[in-house]
Every structure is written in structure tokens, then in C-alpha cells.
Amino acid sequence: MSTNIKELAKNYEPYITDMRREFHMHPETSLHEERTAARVAEELEKMGIPLVRIAGTGVLGTIHGKFPGKTIALRADMDALEITEKTDLPFKSKNDGVMHACGHDSHTAMLLGGAKILNEIKDQLHGTVKLIFQPAEEVAQGAKRMIAEGAMEGVDEIFGMHVMGDLPAGKIALHTGPLMAAVDMFKLTIKGKGGHGSMPNYGVDAVVAASAVVMNLQTIASRESSPMEPVVVSVGKFVSGTRFNILADEAVLEGTVRCFSHQVRRQIPEAMERIAKSTAASYRAEAELEYTLLTAPLINVESSVVRARKSVAAILSEDAAVDVVPTTGGEDFSEYMTNVPGVFAFVGICNEEKDTCYSIHHPKFTVDEDMLKIGAALHAQYAWDFLNES
Ligand code: NI
């Protein structure tokens, strides 16, 4: 029996749009997605889909197909950002200073739509679909917590999507290999010795030592790692000193590291510590490193990308699937993929006529809502293609 998921999705378009608008109106910041999670749970209950509330404000639903088979996880994130919305939409944020500027309202609505479709065709499904509605993507904690609380138990494959304002509506970007960078964070404390600015020889100037550390850290990208492996080391914050004629006794540097390979990622903390400590020592100062691993690199698996292209062809057309240049931005979807294969797709939502071509995190960010049913259909189609392939 053949199933036309594209046609089924059309029936749910008003539902998906309504859900997206409702979530958009009530954005909640990371780890505070109480209302959103409660509404997601309520909607799944109405569909008769069993669910558990895990990871604080996370929801995990399960659709059991009629026949035995593999298990696929479909994932959406639910959190919003501390941004004041500058759109004139009738469903503009009602929560001052908080906005769904990263499209997670759309992601949540698309997965609810996908759940409706899959639930309708579960009598033809081989295997199980796990619906992951995670909290706290923006602070890189949600995926880790969902995994720690069992969301990925028994899962063979994972699929996820992110809406993108620089990709034309109607296009789905699929890229094999590294797509998004590992995102890590560091804090370096450089300790010197205070004194009078007129007599630097009596103190240890933390400003000069920390400045040298900032410069030398750039050799991690240029001298430590392979020229074939991109690495970004950025110091975003440098705090030191109190007054023009006082030697600073301490400097605190904070920054981020981005790279696309697990191996390179493992090497960087050692290199950073060695360079910081030895550079500081050459100025009679000391350095201490705190290194925080946030998210792994997101690396799409080829067989999953090939399957996703077929799914896109079934929902849209052969030429709707396009390639995309990897980005040094990060996504905690990568955490799910450290143990199982899968693919993360970008959904084009840029439509000049509808004024939906803003980059994510922009105060005017919004989506071409025509793509919501496509996203819902793609969730369902990919799950179907994975579970029902012979
Ligand atoms: Ni996002």
C-alpha cells in the first residue's frame, strides 16, 4: 500500500500554522520552556501518542508502528532567545524581551505536524518513531540532558531540521560530512602582581602578559593544527585593570573555539594550556585555563543524506535538495549523532515578497509559513523511508 505523505500533510497545514503562531506568541528562554512543553504534551495526548516528560522541560513521545522494525528519532528544539521582537506580526511575542528568533517555534510545530501524519499511518509502519522535543538548545544543554535521560535508547537513526533565512523557500539544504562546527568555550585567568604604573619592574603586568597570550593563541589555528582542518580561536572578552597608572594584577580572557573534527577538538585544550602557561611564564605571570566543551561538530552521514534527498524528492522535487557551505555556527543536534548516524537539514524559508529573509537571531526573523507543512511532511517521509525501506 502506498502512502502519500505529501497529500496527508496538506490536511494538517492549518493545525501546524496555528501551533507555530501560538508558540511564537509565547516564547520561553532555555530551561524555562514550561508552557511550551505542557502544550506539546497536551497535543501528543490528544493524538493518543504515549509520552514522558524528561530533562526538566523536555518531552519524549513514542509512536509504535504496527509491525516490528528499527527505531528512528525525530527532533525539534523549543527554546527562544533574549531578543526584543521587532516584527509587526499579529502573533508577535507577548513575552517582553523574549522572542522565537531562531525558528524553534516552527521546529516544534513541524514535529507536531509530523507526529500527526505518522500517527495516522502507524498501521503501515515497521518499527518505532521517537519524537524528541528538547529544551535548551541555545545553551547547549538540552540534547545532552535528553540523551542522559534515555531519549536515544534503542534509537538506530536520527533526523532533524533547522529553518534558514538565507536559503530560498522551497529548498532543503543537505550536506554530506561536517556541516556545523564544534562550539567550545574557554576562560583564561592571567595572574600578575600589582604596583605603580610608573615602575613596572616592581610588579608583574597582567595586561602585557595577557596581550601576549591573546596573540600566541592564534598559533593554535596557524601552527598547531593541520592546514586542512579549519579552526577558529576567538577571544571575545578581555577584562583587566582599574586605573591608568596602576599595574593590573589580573586579566581574565574569555573566548570560543570552533572546529569540524572530533580529533582536532580533543587536541585543542592541551595546546591552549601549554601556550597560555608558557607565554604567561615568559612575562613572570601565571595562567589558569577553564575549558568547557559545549557541542560536538555536526557531521552528516552520507547514507542518511542520500536517503534524505529521496525524501525531499517525494515531498517537493528532485531539484529542491541543494548543497550548502558548512557553517562555523553550532547546534547541539550533534550530540545525538555522536552515537547514531543521521542527518540535519536546513529548510529554506526566505521569501522576499513575504519579508522572511532575515538571518537567525535577528529581531525581525520570521518564516515563510508555506514551508511548515513541508517540514512536517519531511519528518514523516524521512521516518517512513528509514523504517519501511527493505
Ligand atoms: Ni536554532
Side-chain angles (χ1 to χ4, degrees):
M1 184 177 175
S2 77
T3 293
N4 195 333
I5 288 173
K6 185 180 175 176
E7 287 304 312
L8 290 177
K10 282 183 191 159
N11 302 334
Y12 296 120
E13 184 169 18
Y15 170 78
I16 301 162
T17 309
D18 285 351
M19 290 311 299
R20 182 259 165 165
R21 291 181 175 193
E22 181 188 326
F23 293 132
H24 191 86
M25 235 188 293
H26 303 281
E28 295 171 297
T29 54
S30 307
L31 301 171
H32 300 285
E33 305 88 343
E34 284 95 8
R35 187 194 178 280
T36 310
R39 285 292 292 119
V40 166
E42 195 182 334
E43 288 302 312
L44 293 178
E45 267 162 23
K46 276 194 242 167
M47 296 177 216
I49 295 173
L51 67 100
V52 284
R53 306 278 298 266
I54 56 171
T57 42
V59 181
L60 178 67
T62 306
I63 298 172
H64 297 282
K66 187 175 180 184
F67 306 103
K70 296 177 285 185
T71 298
I72 185 165
L74 305 173
R75 176 271 206 173
D77 43 11
M78 304 188 289
D79 52 333
L81 291 156
E82 290 87 346
I83 291 176
T84 299
E85 180 160 355
K86 291 199 177 136
T87 74
D88 298 317
L89 297 167
F91 49 92
K92 184 177 171 170
S93 169
K94 285 187 187 294
N95 185 359
D96 261 359
V98 183
M99 177 192 177
H100 267 298
C102 201
H104 300 187
D105 50 343
S106 298
H107 302 164
T108 307
M110 291 185 321
L111 188 52
L112 282 174
K116 284 232 175 206
I117 299 165
L118 287 164
N119 200 40
E120 189 178 331
I121 58 174
K122 67 181 177 209
D123 285 353
Q124 300 163 59
L125 270 188
H126 294 251
T128 304
V129 182
K130 298 261 186 194
L131 307 162
I132 297 179
F133 294 89
Q134 75 157 77
E137 192 285 324
E138 298 291 352
V139 293
Q141 290 180 37
K144 284 177 190 161
R145 288 182 64 171
M146 292 297 283
I147 295 165
E149 297 190 25
M152 291 295 279
E153 268 164 34
V155 170
D156 301 299
E157 173 90 10
I158 183 144
F159 178 76
M161 286 177 267
H162 203 297
V163 293
M164 280 295 161
D166 55 0
L167 189 68
K171 299 288 180 196
I172 307 290
L174 293 163
H175 181 80
T176 300
L179 172 68
M180 300 183 80
V183 177
D184 297 323
M185 189 169 79
F186 64 88
K187 180 176 174 185
L188 277 163
T189 306
I190 314 295
K191 291 200 167 105
K193 191 179 146 200
H196 199 286
S198 65
M199 291 169 280
N201 49 315
Y202 290 124
V204 174
D205 188 354
V207 166
V208 170
S211 300
V213 169
V214 171
M215 297 306 289
N216 284 348
L217 286 182
Q218 292 311 313
T219 62
I220 292 173
S222 68
R223 305 290 96 174
E224 289 269 342
S225 71
S226 159
M228 301 307 167
E229 297 277 9
V231 178
V232 175
V233 179
S234 289
V235 175
K237 190 172 171 186
F238 185 138
V239 179
S240 188
T242 53
R243 204 184 126 93
F244 82 101
N245 62 352
I246 296 176
L247 291 179
D249 64 352
E250 188 179 274
V252 178
L253 309 176
E254 286 176 26
T256 187
V257 175
R258 310 287 164 116
C259 65
F260 290 95
S261 115
H262 291 285
Q263 199 210 337
V264 170
R265 190 182 187 215
R266 280 191 289 271
Q267 294 167 350
I268 291 172
E270 182 278 323
M272 182 170 285
E273 185 161 49
R274 171 167 39 79
I275 291 168
K277 280 188 187 296
S278 58
T279 302
S282 70
Y283 293 86
R284 295 178 285 126
E286 283 170 18
E288 235 171 67
L289 172 67
E290 262 175 65
Y291 202 91
T292 311
L293 299 172
L294 294 178
T295 63
L298 196 159
I299 302 170
N300 281 337
V301 174
E302 186 170 16
S303 56
S304 306
V305 171
V306 169
R307 183 182 302 110
R309 279 205 195 101
K310 285 184 196 149
S311 309
V312 169
I315 298 300
L316 287 163
S317 65
E318 291 275 350
D319 60 3
V322 295
D323 200 357
V324 71
V325 177
T327 160
T328 44
E331 226 311 328
D332 80 354
F333 184 82
S334 59
E335 296 296 322
Y336 300 109
M337 287 176 69
T338 51
N339 291 314
V340 301
V343 53
F344 193 65
F346 292 156
V347 177
I349 45 108
C350 165
N351 182 333
E352 295 285 359
E353 281 169 25
K354 296 181 185 174
D355 195 24
T356 62
C357 301
Y358 297 95
S359 69
I360 50 174
H361 297 202
H362 190 284
K364 286 188 168 184
F365 179 84
T366 189
V367 305
D368 179 349
E369 288 182 326
D370 285 352
M371 288 304 285
L372 298 177
K373 66 173 181 300
I374 302 293
L378 198 51
H379 267 308
Q381 186 71 47
Y382 190 88
W384 173 275
D385 291 345
F386 177 75
L387 294 175
N388 282 21
E389 71 195 351
S390 49

